[in-house]
Amino acid sequence: EDKVVQSPLSLVVHEGDTVTLNCSYEVTNFRSLLWYKQEKKAPTFLFMLTSSGIEKKSGRLSSILDKKELFSILNITATQTGDSAIYLCAAGRGNNDMRFGAGTRLTVKP
Amino acid sequence: DAEITQSPRHKITETGRQVTLACHQTWNHNNMFWYRQDLGHGLRLIHYSYGVQDTNKGEVSDGYSVSRSNTEDLPLTLESAASSQTSVYFCASSSGTYNEQFFGPGTRLTVL
């Protein structure tokens, strides 16, 4: 059975801290790994990773995929209160659907 | 600008009633998806469609149905609403070239 597991489920840090969010996956016909940020509304796209070992970066956020060990990490450096959100990881399959993890709820305190 | 919209945004209904949630996208995407989101479960796929007249069951399809008569719309119907279907429902679409999906704003459904 396909599954995507995220850890930790919740995390509380202070502004300026660096955080690492984890996502492991086991899906058939894996094609891509996606990260989304969800605040009080719809998920918004952050990254899509298809190749192992190539880091994608956007400002203070970065992510990398390991297709051999079947996991991805999302790093956020110098966290800000605006980073507080649920971060969702999803494994995209060859038939264009995705399996989502349960999410990591990040709270950044001032 | 292209977008994806859902209606209604909030709905309260009674057990046993039929409910239809609308999803409309102007991206001209072939692929459309319905998810439900519940605490502790993330997003779970209900039904999806790869094009007009195509529909497929997802991981939690029991009690739901969809139909795809045009590219822009994928309405989700709850045949006989149950309290277990109280949830937030998201519609999404993708072009199919890559897996990135664009999400609608969500519909909060309460079944009493």
Side-chain angles (χ1 to χ4, degrees):
Chain A
E1 184 179 329
D2 291 351
K3 61 181 179 181
V4 177
V5 179
Q6 293 186 244
S7 63
L9 291 182
S10 68
L11 189 57
V12 180
V13 300
H14 288 94
E15 274 192 316
D17 289 349
T18 293
V19 298
T20 298
L21 310 183
N22 304 292
C23 175
S24 64
Y25 63 91
E26 288 182 42
V27 300
T28 53
N29 200 18
F30 174 81
R31 183 174 179 180
S32 58
L33 192 292
L34 297 93
W35 286 96
Y36 286 82
K37 178 182 181 181
Q38 185 177 24
E39 296 171 270
K40 292 185 186 294
K41 46 188 190 294
T44 54
F45 174 76
L46 293 175
F47 296 110
M48 181 171 70
L49 305 152
T50 56
S51 301
S52 273
I54 299 175
E55 184 182 57
K56 290 216 172 178
K57 199 169 170 65
S58 175
R60 296 176 293 103
L61 278 66
S62 64
S63 184
I64 197 161
L65 173 67
D66 185 327
K67 291 170 75 173
K68 182 180 178 185
E69 300 298 329
L70 307 183
F71 78 89
S72 174
I73 60 172
L74 175 68
N75 281 320
I76 309 175
T77 59
T79 51
Q80 302 171 357
T81 55
D83 295 326
S84 294
I86 297 173
Y87 290 84
L88 296 165
C89 161
R93 306 195 306 173
N95 59 350
N96 290 313
D97 74 17
M98 296 195 291
R99 286 290 183 266
F100 280 84
T104 293
R105 181 180 293 275
L106 174 65
T107 303
V108 181
K109 293 189 170 182
Chain B
D1 285 347
E3 60 177 355
I4 180 166
T5 57
Q6 294 182 234
S7 63
R9 297 293 311 280
H10 301 272
K11 174 79 176 176
I12 300 174
T13 191
E14 295 177 343
T15 301
R17 290 192 180 267
Q18 183 181 79
V19 177
T20 297
L21 309 183
C23 175
H24 179 80
Q25 53 98 2
T26 58
W27 294 98
N28 200 33
H29 285 163
N30 284 326
N31 305 330
M32 295 185 72
F33 307 84
W34 274 104
Y35 295 90
R36 60 178 288 174
Q37 187 173 35
D38 306 287
L39 197 63
H41 288 280
L43 287 159
R44 291 183 291 175
L45 184 64
I46 305 172
H47 282 285
Y48 56 103
S49 168
Y50 293 144
V52 176
Q53 302 301 330
D54 176 76
T55 61
N56 306 279
K57 292 182 179 180
E59 39 179 335
V60 290
S61 61
D62 287 349
Y64 303 94
S65 64
V66 293
S67 62
R68 187 90 180 269
S69 58
N70 60 52
T71 300
E72 295 81 16
D73 299 288
L74 187 69
L76 177 72
T77 297
L78 287 67
E79 303 294 343
S80 177
S83 58
S84 60
Q85 294 176 309
T86 293
S87 187
V88 179
Y89 291 85
F90 287 101
C91 178
S93 71
S94 74
S95 65
T97 304
Y98 300 100
N99 287 122
E100 179 189 351
Q101 294 180 9
F102 297 89
F103 285 82
T107 294
R108 183 175 296 275
L109 176 68
T110 302
V111 183
L112 301 176

